[in-house]
Amino acid sequence: MSQGIHNQIYSLLIFTITGILIGIIFDIFRVIRKTFKTPDFITYIEDLIFWMITGVLLLFTIFKFNNGEIRSYIFVGLGVGIIIYLLAISKLFIKVNVIIISFFKKIISFIFKYIVKLFKITICKPIHFFVINIRRPISKIKILTKKGKKSWN
């Protein structure tokens, strides 16, 4: 009898941890939405991905730690885990991750800006030079034909 209660308490703790993991996954999607403005269609896809990840995590946890049996303490553990996470850790998690992602966005945009400048200098300037030098003789031909002189045709 004592062994059964210990197993149920162990399962309750496992599902509390699973609830905390679901809260973390939820906040990861919230941070992504806060950092990158996406259209509604992408938001729907993100929601679908969240529920698929959550479903797979729950099914894995139920089969791995509870032999596929669904008991009421599973839902209690999940609810307690989510509530603990949302009340204790969520705000800090979101703030820290928004700062980290914003920092990396600034670094990437800085690098991208200089790559674009380098691209303009190394590739676009010679192309621009070539186009200008081709255009000058063509404009001289047009000027010659407008003055009544023979064209090259």
Side-chain angles (χ1 to χ4, degrees):
M1 182 75 173
S2 174
Q3 186 67 18
I5 292 174
H6 290 295
N7 287 340
Q8 290 179 359
I9 291 173
Y10 175 74
S11 293
L12 179 69
L13 291 174
I14 292 295
F15 286 103
T16 302
I17 293 169
T18 303
I20 292 171
L21 287 175
I22 289 171
I24 291 171
I25 294 168
F26 179 70
D27 275 349
I28 288 171
F29 281 96
R30 282 176 40 182
V31 166
I32 290 171
R33 284 186 189 158
K34 202 176 234 187
T35 310
F36 304 103
K37 302 300 179 200
T38 57
D40 289 340
F41 179 72
I42 301 298
T43 302
Y44 298 141
I45 292 173
E46 288 174 350
D47 288 343
L48 182 66
I49 291 170
F50 167 75
W51 285 110
M52 289 171 63
I53 291 171
T54 302
V56 169
L57 178 65
L58 281 175
L59 285 174
F60 172 77
T61 309
I62 289 170
F63 280 103
K64 178 75 175 173
F65 296 103
N66 214 29
N67 297 325
E69 297 177 0
I70 297 178
R71 305 287 177 143
S72 61
Y73 58 83
I74 290 175
F75 300 108
V76 171
L78 289 172
V80 167
I82 291 171
I83 290 171
I84 288 172
Y85 174 77
L86 290 176
L87 293 178
I89 307 169
S90 180
K91 288 182 182 180
L92 178 66
F93 182 84
I94 290 174
K95 284 180 184 178
V96 168
N97 282 311
V98 166
I99 291 169
I100 291 171
I101 290 175
S102 298
F103 176 73
F104 282 115
K105 276 177 61 176
K106 286 179 184 177
I107 289 174
I108 289 170
S109 66
F110 179 77
I111 292 170
F112 185 72
K113 184 171 87 173
Y114 283 103
I115 288 174
V116 167
K117 281 185 179 182
L118 183 66
F119 178 77
K120 283 181 179 179
I121 291 171
T122 58
I123 294 176
C124 293
K125 286 232 180 201
I127 292 173
H128 180 71
F129 178 76
F130 180 72
V131 168
I132 293 294
N133 287 329
I134 292 272
R135 195 171 25 174
R136 285 185 187 150
I138 291 173
S139 63
K140 287 180 182 178
I141 291 171
K142 288 181 183 178
I143 291 172
L144 289 175
T145 57
K146 285 183 182 177
K147 289 183 180 180
K149 295 187 179 183
K150 287 187 175 182
S151 66
W152 292 32
N153 293 338

